[in-house]
Amino acid sequence: MRPPSLDRFAPIGLEELVAESALLTRVDRKYVVPLAEASMLLERLNDGMRVLELGGLRDFAYESIYFDTPDLLSFRMAAQPRRRRFKLRTRTYLDTQASFLEVKTRGARSATVKDRIPYELSVRDRLTGDARDYAADALAAIGVEPRRASGLGATMTTRYRRATLVTADGSARATVDTGLRWDDASGATLSLPALAIIETKSGARASEVDRVLWRAGHRPATVSKYATGLAALHPDLPRNRWSRLLRGPFSDAAASTPPASTAHPTSLHQPAPHPEESSCVAV
C-alpha cells in the first residue's frame, strides 16, 4: 500500500517548524490506524495544515536501534509500568545520514526528560565507552544502579517512514509513521505494511488531527515501538499493557512473519546480570 498523500499541504521548513511548534507543555496521543483509512483521514484536514519538507522530500526514512540490559530492564519497566523508567536508542535519519544517541527517562514525579547527543553513524549499532557513561548518568538520575549501563546491548531495530504535519498557527503537530518494520537481535522480524501509527502533540486542547480521528471512531492507544514490538515477537514476555493491540492489528501481521525465537534477544550476546542487580532499581 502507498503512504498517505501529502501533496495538497503547503511546505514548512525544519527551522520554521521548530520555532513555531516548540510546545512547552504538551499532550501526546498515539493512534494505530489502517493505512488506507489514514489516507482518507488526512483528506479531511483543512488546507491550512503544513507538512515538513526538506530537499523536496515530505516523508523520511528513520532507523532506531534500542539498547537494553540482558534481563530487558527497559522493556519490563514499560510493561509493568514503573513510575521510573528509561529508553535508550540511536536514531538515524537515513536520508541525511545523521545519527544521534537518545535517552528518555521518567522520574518519580512522572516527568519525562528526553536528551540526545550526536553519534557516529558507523557505530550506531553499539555503545562506545562514552555512550555507556552517558547512559549511566541517565540511569542514576532515576535511581537505577549506574553500573547496569555496562550490560546494555542492541536489542531491537525499528524502521519506518515519517511525515510531520503542523497546524496553521503552529499550536499542534502530528507525525504519521508508515512502512513499519521491527528486527530484533534473535533474528525475529515483524512487518506492518498495512498500518500507520499517528502521534499528535498539542497543548491542553485536542488538536484538529485528534478531532478528525475521534470522529472516525479512533481512540488513543497504548503503544511503544520498542516494547510493543518486542512483546509481539516474543509471546513469553509480559504483554498485558498492549493486549488490545497484540490481539488486534498486531496479531494478523505477527502471524504472517516467520516464527519468533523464544530466546530473549539480549541473551544471544550479553553476559548474565550480576545476581544482586535484581534489587538495584528504585521504584
Side-chain angles (χ1 to χ4, degrees), residues 73-74 77-78 82-88 103-114 134-146 148 280-283:
L73 177 62
S74 175
M77 284 178 152
R82 303 276 184 97
R83 290 177 65 188
R84 301 173 187 261
R85 55 186 186 265
F86 75 96
K87 189 180 294 179
L88 181 71
V103 61
K104 183 185 291 187
T105 56
R106 180 173 293 182
R109 296 184 179 180
S110 297
T112 298
V113 177
K114 180 179 176 181
Y134 178 76
D137 289 342
L139 295 180
I142 60 168
V144 177
E145 175 58 51
R148 299 217 68 180
C280 289
V281 182
V283 295

Side-chain angles (χ1 to χ4, degrees), residues 33-99:
V33 180
L35 185 59
E37 191 169 351
S39 297
M40 293 187 292
L41 292 171
L42 289 182
E43 290 298 322
R44 299 176 189 174
L45 297 175
N46 71 60
D47 292 336
M49 297 289 292
R50 293 165 294 168
V51 61
L52 176 64
E53 181 175 293
L54 298 172
L57 295 177
R58 293 192 165 199
D59 70 319
F60 308 93
Y62 279 55
E63 176 197 80
S64 296
I65 301 177
Y66 293 87
F67 299 85
D68 211 337
T69 61
D71 58 346
L72 301 179
L73 177 62
S74 175
F75 168 84
R76 295 182 189 279
M77 284 178 152
Q80 290 179 338
R82 303 276 184 97
R83 290 177 65 188
R84 301 173 187 261
R85 55 186 186 265
F86 75 96
K87 189 180 294 179
L88 181 71
R89 70 188 177 200
T90 57
R91 167 163 285 181
T92 301
Y93 303 92
L94 296 175
D95 298 291
T96 59
Q97 295 290 282
S99 191

Side-chain angles (χ1 to χ4, degrees), residues 158-176:
T158 64
R159 296 181 179 89
Y160 51 92
R161 298 195 68 85
R162 168 168 288 183
T164 300
L165 296 162
V166 61
T167 56
D169 63 0
S171 64
R173 63 182 184 267
T175 56
V176 183

Side-chain angles (χ1 to χ4, degrees), residues 180-199:
L180 303 159
R181 179 185 172 94
W182 290 257
D183 296 275
D184 81 7
S186 72
T189 297
L190 171 66
S191 181
L192 298 175
L195 291 180
I197 295 179
I198 300 175
E199 182 172 1

Side-chain angles (χ1 to χ4, degrees), residues 27 29 171-172 201-208 210-211 214:
V27 177
R29 302 178 181 91
S171 64
K201 306 179 194 306
S202 63
R205 299 180 60 183
S207 70
E208 179 191 352
D210 288 302
R211 292 192 294 270
W214 294 349

